[in-house]
Amino acid sequence: MASIFFSVLLALSVLSSPFLLNANAHTKLGFSADLIHRDSPKSPFYNPTETSAQRLRNVVHRSVNRVVHFNGKDASVNSPQTEITSDGGEYLMNISLGTPPFPIMAIADTGSDLLWTQCKPCDDCYTQDDPLFDPKASSTYKDVSCSSSQCTALESQATCSTENNTCSYTLSYGDKSYTKGNVAADTVTLGSTDNRPVQLKNIVIGCGHNNAGTFSKKGSGIIGLGGGSVSLISQLGDSIDGKFSYCLVPLSSENDKTSKINFGTNAVVSGNESVSTPLITKSQATFYYLTLESVSVGSKSIKYPSVSDSYGSSGKGNIIIDSGTTLTMFATDFYSELEDAVASSIDAEKINDPQNVLSLCYSATAKLNVPVITMHFDGADVKLDSSNAFIQISEDLVCFAFRGDDQLAIYGNIAQMNFLVGYDTVSKTVSFKPADCAKM
């Protein structure tokens, strides 16, 4: 997907003194960050002329488009990189590359791996508002060789130049967007709200010299937070014990509180009300797969299909958890049964969504007695609040934040809001704990 698996403006609060960290060192880290939604006034994507309802409607449309990009219908099934979305995600990350630090703003994506940005010289690049990164201006930048482990980690995404033994990469996205350039290693600096930045040495990055497609001029690349070997999470590795977590403030929150992302010792999710479910590894290591057994609406339990379906999600690891997709997506037949159960529990007149994106909607002025919806993951029951189930997408319309889609099953971010969601890529678990994210 392209991305946590939201886009993130990252301002880190590091709980230690300033230091330089080699990404391969065994130094243990614990730090936290603010996640700023792309529609926040703090985001470069913010459009002050849009109403709150228009922004919510746009969120829904981006969510639907992200699934199309995930699927990559025109892409080879043997090329995992083709199933990444080029401009997905709901959060931005503000980091710096090189020495001296050069700030970039990029989409933070739990659905992709490589951290890449547009670089000088740009032979054929999309229009970008911010200046381009100049690798020649960084004293710590170095291209990696074809025989290096950094190059081989990219597998089919990497190619080699016989002239200078330099490793190159090509990433093609489901919507035919692409980025091509040099595989390099450089220092990555994560900005800090308390002016104590974390600097990570020798991080593998992509320096894009030929990039085109649907990328936004507001961003300057993608920061991969997926499960693959070259993602930022994997490169931080032992230093964060493979742990990160986030707590997402509801979209309806009218205060100025931001969501949070945590790494390492700060990312542990434990204590009362915390539940954990296995993180399933599949051939596409980028994505975080969980196993959904059933969904209950009040006392009615609806078993999630265990037989193979058109999008190949059956048995263990039948749903992707993604912070960059707003809606929760289920196979059409299962979704229809779920919608019927929810609708039969609500005593109100249904209203059609004029844009036909969501199929269960009510008047925003209606008093809805939303039934308790519980997601029954393998070993973890996650009870949703009404704000996890319904979203107001216009001034007069409230809709069920789930959708039928036979391309992919995705557990989206609305269902995750006001939960502390922790990923442990070493113990292979994802944990959930109810929380008031605005107070964290």
Side-chain angles (χ1 to χ4, degrees):
M1 321 163 200
S3 210
I4 105 176
F5 131 52
F6 294 65
S7 303
V8 189
L9 183 63
L10 186 67
L12 291 170
S13 175
V14 184
L15 303 182
S16 59
S17 58
F19 60 95
L20 292 179
L21 169 71
N22 186 307
N24 297 318
H26 293 287
T27 306
K28 299 300 182 183
L29 290 178
F31 55 94
S32 300
D34 289 334
L35 301 182
I36 298 177
H37 195 272
R38 64 185 289 159
D39 285 331
S40 162
K42 298 178 181 178
S43 163
F45 288 91
Y46 179 70
N47 183 349
T49 65
E50 290 179 335
T51 65
S52 176
Q54 286 174 323
R55 293 187 189 103
L56 288 170
R57 174 65 81 174
N58 291 340
V59 162
V60 170
H61 280 293
R62 288 195 299 267
S63 183
V64 174
N65 291 337
R66 183 169 170 84
V67 177
V68 174
H69 296 157
F70 257 125
N71 188 50
K73 281 184 179 293
D74 298 324
S76 165
V77 267
N78 297 318
S79 303
Q81 68 273 20
T82 60
E83 299 198 358
I84 301 167
T85 177
S86 59
D87 195 18
E90 290 299 310
Y91 296 83
L92 300 172
M93 181 179 280
N94 188 10
I95 68 172
S96 295
L97 295 179
T99 307
F102 180 87
I104 69 166
M105 174 113 24
I107 291 168
D109 186 13
T110 48
S112 65
D113 293 323
L114 185 66
L115 187 166
W116 69 266
T117 188
Q118 296 203 110
C119 293
K120 292 181 179 180
C122 225
D123 305 322
D124 183 13
C125 286
Y126 63 89
T127 301
Q128 177 181 310
D129 286 348
D130 293 332
L132 300 184
F133 175 63
D134 184 356
K136 291 182 179 179
S138 171
S139 63
T140 47
Y141 176 95
K142 53 183 179 293
D143 290 321
V144 304
S145 67
C146 293
S147 59
S148 68
S149 59
Q150 294 102 319
C151 186
T152 56
L154 283 163
E155 298 176 341
S156 61
Q157 298 168 0
T159 56
C160 274
S161 168
T162 54
E163 295 180 6
N164 54 17
N165 192 36
T166 299
C167 183
S168 300
Y169 76 92
T170 300
L171 290 179
S172 300
Y173 297 89
D175 60 357
K176 294 183 168 52
S177 298
Y178 62 85
T179 173
K180 301 177 182 179
N182 291 354
V183 181
D186 207 342
T187 296
V188 173
T189 303
L190 304 181
S192 169
T193 54
D194 57 6
N195 297 316
R196 292 184 288 182
V198 177
Q199 289 185 303
L200 309 166
K201 299 171 72 174
N202 296 318
I203 295 294
V204 176
I205 65 169
C207 208
H209 297 288
N210 185 353
N211 321 292
T214 60
F215 303 110
S216 169
K217 65 180 181 179
K218 300 290 185 181
S220 48
I222 289 176
I223 299 166
L225 298 173
S229 60
V230 296
S231 79
L232 186 60
I233 299 300
S234 297
Q235 291 192 68
L236 286 171
D238 288 345
S239 67
I240 61 169
D241 284 332
K243 295 182 179 67
F244 73 98
S245 65
Y246 51 75
C247 201
L248 307 174
V249 176
L251 296 178
S252 58
S253 178
E254 295 182 0
N255 56 38
D256 197 30
K257 299 295 183 180
T258 56
S259 300
K260 294 288 188 292
I261 184 168
N262 314 290
F263 297 89
T265 55
N266 284 26
V268 176
V269 178
S270 61
N272 293 338
E273 297 187 274
S274 64
V275 293
S276 298
T277 186
L279 182 60
I280 306 300
T281 301
K282 290 195 171 185
S283 58
Q284 289 196 357
T286 298
F287 305 141
Y288 296 107
Y289 293 93
L290 307 180
T291 302
L292 182 65
E293 296 179 339
S294 64
V295 178
S296 60
V297 180
S299 59
K300 179 180 174 60
S301 178
I302 306 169
K303 182 177 172 54
Y304 199 72
S306 58
V307 295
S308 296
D309 50 43
S310 60
Y311 54 90
S313 294
S314 62
K316 297 292 184 182
N318 56 14
I319 189 167
I320 293 169
I321 179 170
D322 179 29
S323 60
T325 303
T326 301
L327 304 175
T328 291
M329 310 288 193
F330 289 134
T332 304
D333 288 346
F334 178 82
Y335 170 76
S336 296
E337 191 174 355
L338 174 64
E339 181 186 301
D340 288 344
V342 173
S344 65
S345 302
I346 296 176
D347 186 17
E349 182 181 356
K350 290 193 286 187
I351 298 177
N352 290 331
D353 174 6
Q355 296 189 20
N356 293 318
V357 176
L358 298 175
S359 58
L360 180 59
C361 300
Y362 298 93
S363 168
T365 60
K367 185 175 182 180
L368 302 182
N369 293 315
V370 178
V372 174
I373 299 173
T374 304
M375 311 293 293
H376 300 284
F377 294 105
D378 180 10
D381 293 344
V382 180
K383 181 180 174 181
L384 303 184
D385 183 76
S386 60
S387 62
N388 298 119
F390 280 83
I391 181 174
Q392 185 170 347
I393 62 170
S394 71
E395 299 295 344
D396 55 0
L397 204 62
V398 173
C399 296
F400 191 40
F402 291 66
R403 190 173 189 267
D405 195 300
D406 285 326
Q407 298 178 69
L408 272 178
I410 300 177
Y411 191 55
N413 64 51
I414 290 180
Q416 299 176 55
M417 290 177 179
N418 271 346
F419 283 91
L420 184 58
V421 183
Y423 296 69
D424 187 332
T425 61
V426 175
S427 298
K428 299 293 182 184
T429 59
V430 172
S431 301
F432 300 89
K433 183 179 182 179
D436 185 346
C437 294
K439 292 182 178 179
M440 297 192 72

